[in-house]
Amino acid sequence: MRRSKQGVTMADVAREAGVSLQTVSRVINGRHDVSPATRQHIEDIIQRLGYQPNALARGLASTYTRTLGFVTNDFSDYTWTQIMTGAEHEARAHGYFLMIGSAERDPNDEPEYLRLLSERQVDGILFGRESREVNDSRYNDFFQQVPAVTVAYYPALKQVPTVDVDNVSGGRQAAEYLLSKGHRHIAMITGPEYWKAVQDRYEGYRQALEAASIPVDDSIIVIGDFSYQSGYKATQQLLSYGIPFSAIFAQSDQMAIGAIRALREAGMRIPQDVAIIGYDDIPAAAYCYPPLTTIRQPLQELGRIATQLLIKIVEGDNGVVNNEVLLRTEVIERASA
Amino acid sequence: MRRSKQGVTMADVAREAGVSLQTVSRVINGRHDVSPATRQHIEDIIQRLGYQPNALARGLASTYTRTLGFVTNDFSDYTWTQIMTGAEHEARAHGYFLMIGSAERDPNDEPEYLRLLSERQVDGILFGRESREVNDSRYNDFFQQVPAVTVAYYPALKQVPTVDVDNVSGGRQAAEYLLSKGHRHIAMITGPEYWKAVQDRYEGYRQALEAASIPVDDSIIVIGDFSYQSGYKATQQLLSYGIPFSAIFAQSDQMAIGAIRALREAGMRIPQDVAIIGYDDIPAAAYCYPPLTTIRQPLQELGRIATQLLIKIVEGDNGVVNNEVLLRTEVIERASA
DNA sequence: CTGTTAGCGCCTTCAT
DNA sequence: ATGAAGGCGCTAACAG
């Protein structure tokens, strides 16, 4: 005979209390149609017996598990981690847990993750992931079954609501700030070009220059991958071109800090010779040298709002109309620009 | 009538294949006692029908969920995040998912989290948390029910296996390195004193000084909280004492970087006037100025090994004897010391 | 306000 | 190598 892991079950409580299973169930679920006396009595017994409901059984009998999946490609990255933290807080506040999965090695693993998460009957899924174009019919099948919200716009998933930062505005803020300091030759180090966020920041940059009647010079725009290392390399590259620029807009703080290093090695002073503005406002930004002027993204809030939206959808709130929420970035002025 | 979320069930597959439920179950679970022909036939039908097993039902009928809980106090912190990443990878490699929970606000929430996780029938729990002394009988009750492993030694949980970094050795390495550079007056900025890791690093530091016949001078030891800010403040404090020191061992890279800032503001050169060694090897360490010499902790590996151990325990591997695994740190030499 | 009756989808045990 | 019966712990639906 198989031994259950579970010690005391609802049946034990019911027997002990001399009531039916259903009444115990009602108490557990906080229904109002139980007399105060029986409720109290049952609660005492639950307490005494140390009864714990079995979430698996509840999930099987009902249709929800109060579990959300969170899928990302990189849990070791600051950005996604912050988003996840916000999501976790919000989830917990609503009685949900987060089940996490990362499809780092191979983006093709992703549909497999979704399947696995759906087998586990998550009520919904949060996507905190790079915005890459994906053509895989498995996605569509999937998102017809399970409610989802993406954090950071995901072109492949047009039918899925999105919560993101307004990157066009963010890019514009960065360029405008530099412009306001009198810079006319503003280099840019971007992230991977297939990211929607990267394109948007580029667009904001373009808009700002255009408004100032300055032509965009693609020869002082270099593609990076958001890492320190890539900011460093990109700046060396920029320097090697011999094309004059007096400021750099790096699309991540890490790249900005890498850029600072390259600039310093080239004997340049910041911000006197070259001004730098980053993007993200990572904790190190305030403590690097010189302290980094940057565009802050409300990362945890992104996660919180996305989760809030997802839970609303999951719980059948028909008031959800907004299919794209865009949060504003903010200029944090420090010493690098 | 209630509609189930689930579309096609095992019964559908069985009917379609003209076999019993049980045979389908065997195929799903990869048992070997099914003839190749029927197996193939059933697999085809599963494919065609798009059948997905329901993990809830499996968990209810069997006794395992292939889900592990991961509890920490701070998901936004680099250290725990790295550990979690390692844990997630290892878990996935074994077919497990991680359910995450953070008890940040109030450590007293923790037992509540454990209860909630146990309601969800997790097979085991990983603790990635500060090593704080806790006296709460609920812990003991809990750990008798659910297998657990702590990452970072947890004094309250003596009966639970632990995977940690050898902090005594790490502290010794840091001090020895500084000693080898000729420093005799080595200040230290610690983390919160109730952390076991902090005490251990202190002990390593003490051992190294003792071996060099240098008395420990508590007046140049300041308590921080691992943050940039606290490293900055602690260093200002150190400077204000007027007690000479030529090197600082900061128990986190963040504090080391904060210290560098304070030192710079005080007009001191690094490492000429004051040498600094950090602890952790965060990504920023290589790119701050000057690049930080530090003690690297194998964080992801910590998470991986802890998870491996937990899974072994969960799956009833009686070969598990090691109740305390200690990983070694490594000196990363850069320019700050 | 409370109880009864049916499952939820799967796995375990025992037969055959 | 396959099938039948029973149950995991709980909730939905309906009755009273």
Side-chain angles (χ1 to χ4, degrees):
Chain A
M1 234 277 267
R2 199 182 119 268
R3 283 252 2 108
S4 157
K5 232 190 221 174
Q6 185 107 1
V8 15
T9 75
M10 219 168 73
D12 298 323
V13 176
R15 191 178 325 109
E16 191 72 14
V19 297
S20 75
L21 273 179
Q22 198 39 233
T23 304
V24 178
S25 173
R26 286 186 179 106
V27 170
I28 300 290
N29 292 295
R31 298 285 171 73
H32 296 292
D33 50 356
V34 182
S35 80
T38 36
R39 147 160 287 122
Q40 187 56 55
H41 180 211
I42 291 175
E43 276 170 353
D44 288 347
I45 292 183
I46 286 177
Q47 186 71 33
R48 179 153 61 75
L49 263 38
Y51 166 70
Q52 291 190 352
N54 179 328
L56 254 33
R58 296 173 88 159
L60 187 57
S62 65
T63 9
Y64 55 84
T65 54
R66 302 219 159 238
T67 302
L68 264 21
F70 185 97
V71 176
T72 183
N73 55 317
D74 191 358
F75 278 120
S76 64
D77 176 79
Y78 177 77
T79 309
W80 300 128
T81 283
Q82 291 301 111
I83 291 174
M84 183 193 83
T85 300
E88 200 269 344
H89 289 347
E90 189 68 23
R92 289 296 312 125
H94 292 266
Y96 285 73
F97 268 97
L98 242 44
M99 210 150 190
I100 63 173
S102 70
E104 293 183 32
R105 346 249 163 123
D106 184 355
N108 290 320
D109 290 348
E110 198 167 273
E112 176 63 8
Y113 270 77
L114 298 184
R115 205 180 57 66
L116 254 20
L117 248 12
S118 119
E119 279 187 7
R120 280 166 147 64
Q121 312 299 118
V122 295
D123 292 335
I125 295 212
L126 285 158
F127 262 74
R129 238 173 127 10
E130 68 200 57
S131 319
R132 171 195 305 234
E133 191 68 61
V134 183
N135 276 314
D136 194 317
S137 62
R138 287 176 293 180
Y139 283 96
N140 298 322
D141 296 358
F142 184 80
F143 288 109
Q144 254 142 2
Q145 292 178 230
V146 184
V149 168
T150 64
V151 189
Y153 178 76
Y154 210 162
L157 309 175
K158 301 193 182 56
Q159 72 278 47
V160 176
T162 287
V163 177
D164 201 353
V165 151
D166 186 339
N167 282 298
V168 174
S169 158
R172 205 183 317 118
Q173 285 176 332
E176 279 171 355
Y177 181 85
L178 261 11
L179 252 12
S180 79
K181 295 287 181 176
H183 297 284
R184 318 259 88 194
H185 299 282
I186 302 175
M188 179 162 63
I189 307 176
T190 75
E193 43 193 337
Y194 55 84
W195 281 49
K196 177 71 158 49
V198 169
Q199 295 158 14
D200 285 356
R201 291 172 202 176
Y202 180 101
E203 171 60 14
Y205 164 91
R206 198 197 58 69
Q207 288 177 9
L209 294 207
E210 180 174 291
S213 308
I214 297 176
V216 170
D217 179 0
D218 277 333
S219 60
I220 49 172
I221 298 181
V222 185
I223 297 170
D225 65 7
F226 292 135
S227 71
Y228 288 99
Q229 175 71 5
S230 84
Y232 178 73
K233 294 257 190 221
T235 304
Q236 289 182 325
Q237 206 172 317
L238 234 26
L239 256 14
S240 74
Y241 294 160
I243 302 167
F245 59 89
S246 66
I248 300 178
F249 164 30
Q251 287 195 2
S252 81
D253 284 351
Q254 300 202 143
M255 294 196 297
I257 292 172
I260 288 175
R261 153 104 140 234
L263 254 14
R264 194 195 329 273
E265 286 180 6
M268 320 199 79
R269 293 163 307 156
I270 297 156
Q272 298 88 331
D273 298 328
V274 176
I276 299 201
I277 189 166
Y279 206 98
D280 284 343
D281 195 27
I282 63 175
Y287 281 89
C288 65
Y289 182 73
L292 194 65
T293 293
T294 189
I295 304 295
R296 174 183 294 162
Q297 307 195 78
L299 261 14
Q300 292 204 16
E301 198 182 348
L302 223 48
R304 266 200 302 279
I305 292 184
T307 305
Q308 213 171 289
L309 182 59
L310 180 57
I311 290 176
K312 268 194 189 145
I313 296 173
V314 162
E315 296 184 350
D317 182 333
N318 295 317
V320 177
V321 279
N322 236 349
N323 247 28
E324 180 165 335
V325 180
L326 250 31
L327 303 187
R328 299 282 303 201
T329 53
E330 178 190 358
V331 178
I332 304 296
E333 184 164 11
R334 287 195 274 249
S336 69
Chain B
M1 234 276 268
R2 199 181 119 268
R3 285 249 2 107
S4 157
K5 230 192 220 172
Q6 185 105 2
V8 14
T9 74
M10 219 168 73
D12 298 323
V13 176
R15 191 179 324 108
E16 191 72 12
V19 296
S20 75
L21 274 178
Q22 199 34 236
T23 304
V24 178
S25 172
R26 287 186 179 105
V27 170
I28 300 289
N29 292 294
R31 299 285 172 72
H32 296 292
D33 51 356
V34 183
S35 80
T38 35
R39 147 160 286 122
Q40 186 57 54
H41 181 213
I42 291 174
E43 276 171 353
D44 288 347
I45 292 183
I46 285 176
Q47 187 70 33
R48 179 154 60 76
L49 262 40
Y51 165 71
Q52 291 190 352
N54 179 327
L56 254 34
R58 295 173 87 157
L60 187 57
S62 64
T63 10
Y64 54 84
T65 55
R66 302 217 159 241
T67 301
L68 263 21
F70 186 98
V71 176
T72 184
N73 54 317
D74 190 358
F75 277 120
S76 64
D77 176 78
Y78 176 77
T79 309
W80 300 127
T81 283
Q82 291 300 113
I83 291 174
M84 184 194 82
T85 300
E88 200 270 342
H89 288 347
E90 188 69 23
R92 288 297 311 125
H94 292 266
Y96 286 73
F97 268 95
L98 242 45
M99 211 148 186
I100 63 174
S102 70
E104 293 183 33
R105 344 244 164 129
D106 184 355
N108 290 321
D109 290 348
E110 198 168 273
E112 177 62 8
Y113 270 77
L114 298 185
R115 205 180 56 68
L116 254 19
L117 249 11
S118 122
E119 278 188 7
R120 278 159 196 267
Q121 313 298 118
V122 296
D123 292 335
I125 296 213
L126 284 159
F127 261 75
R129 241 174 123 11
E130 69 200 54
S131 319
R132 171 195 304 234
E133 190 69 60
V134 184
N135 275 316
D136 194 317
S137 62
R138 287 178 293 179
Y139 282 97
N140 298 320
D141 295 359
F142 184 79
F143 288 109
Q144 254 144 0
Q145 291 179 230
V146 183
V149 168
T150 64
V151 190
Y153 178 78
Y154 211 164
L157 310 175
K158 300 192 182 58
Q159 72 278 45
V160 174
T162 287
V163 177
D164 200 353
V165 151
D166 186 338
N167 282 298
V168 174
S169 158
R172 206 186 313 121
Q173 285 177 332
E176 279 171 356
Y177 180 85
L178 260 13
L179 252 11
S180 78
K181 295 286 184 179
H183 298 285
R184 319 258 89 195
H185 299 281
I186 303 175
M188 179 161 65
I189 307 175
T190 75
E193 42 194 338
Y194 55 84
W195 282 48
K196 178 70 160 48
V198 168
Q199 295 157 14
D200 285 354
R201 291 172 201 175
Y202 180 100
E203 171 60 13
Y205 164 91
R206 197 198 58 69
Q207 288 177 8
L209 293 207
E210 179 174 292
S213 307
I214 297 176
V216 169
D217 178 2
D218 277 334
S219 60
I220 50 173
I221 297 181
V222 185
I223 297 170
D225 65 8
F226 292 135
S227 72
Y228 288 98
Q229 175 72 6
S230 83
Y232 178 74
K233 294 259 190 219
T235 304
Q236 289 182 325
Q237 207 172 316
L238 235 25
L239 256 16
S240 74
Y241 295 160
I243 303 169
F245 60 89
S246 66
I248 300 178
F249 164 31
Q251 287 194 3
S252 82
D253 284 351
Q254 300 202 145
M255 293 196 298
I257 292 172
I260 288 175
R261 152 105 140 234
L263 256 10
R264 194 195 326 276
E265 287 179 6
M268 319 199 80
R269 293 163 307 156
I270 298 157
Q272 298 88 331
D273 297 329
V274 176
I276 298 200
I277 189 166
Y279 206 99
D280 285 342
D281 196 27
I282 64 176
Y287 282 90
C288 65
Y289 183 72
L292 193 65
T293 294
T294 189
I295 303 295
R296 173 183 294 161
Q297 308 196 77
L299 261 13
Q300 293 205 15
E301 199 183 346
L302 223 48
R304 265 200 303 279
I305 291 184
T307 305
Q308 212 171 290
L309 182 59
L310 180 57
I311 290 176
K312 269 195 188 145
I313 296 172
V314 162
E315 296 183 350
D317 182 333
N318 295 317
V320 177
V321 279
N322 236 350
N323 247 30
E324 181 165 334
V325 180
L326 251 31
L327 304 186
R328 298 284 302 204
T329 53
E330 178 190 358
V331 177
I332 305 295
E333 184 164 10
R334 288 195 274 248
S336 69

